[in-house]
Amino acid sequence: MNLFRSEEDARNWADFDRDMAGFLKPVAEWAAIFSNPFFRERGRADYLSWTRSEAGQAAYGDLKAALSP
């Protein structure tokens, strides 16, 4: 992940990909996304089976919605 001072700096970056512009978000939004239980629960011994549970599927749905541009 690259961190830029502003959206303008990101858009002026030589490797900027216009198809990824929808993913330009403030750090606070990325922090909220990565605080989703789908990330927080990775330390569980039963993480893989948890991802298939109702709670895991709900967390994944929330994560997917948050990542939609």
Side-chain angles (χ1 to χ4, degrees):
M1 176 183 344
N2 291 306
L3 297 177
F4 294 93
R5 242 182 342 180
S6 67
E7 185 176 334
E8 181 181 353
D9 284 346
R11 290 181 183 281
N12 289 332
W13 181 43
D15 291 331
F16 180 71
D17 181 355
R18 292 190 189 286
D19 293 338
M20 301 300 286
F23 292 105
L24 287 175
K25 298 180 184 297
V27 171
E29 278 188 53
W30 283 113
I33 288 168
F34 284 106
S35 70
N36 178 293
F38 208 76
F39 291 103
R40 286 194 332 249
E41 299 294 332
R42 288 181 294 181
R44 293 174 64 126
D46 65 340
Y47 178 72
L48 291 178
S49 59
W50 175 83
T51 62
R52 293 182 206 114
S53 72
E54 189 174 322
Q57 290 298 305
Y60 182 70
D62 292 344
L63 176 61
K64 212 168 144 182
L67 289 174
S68 296

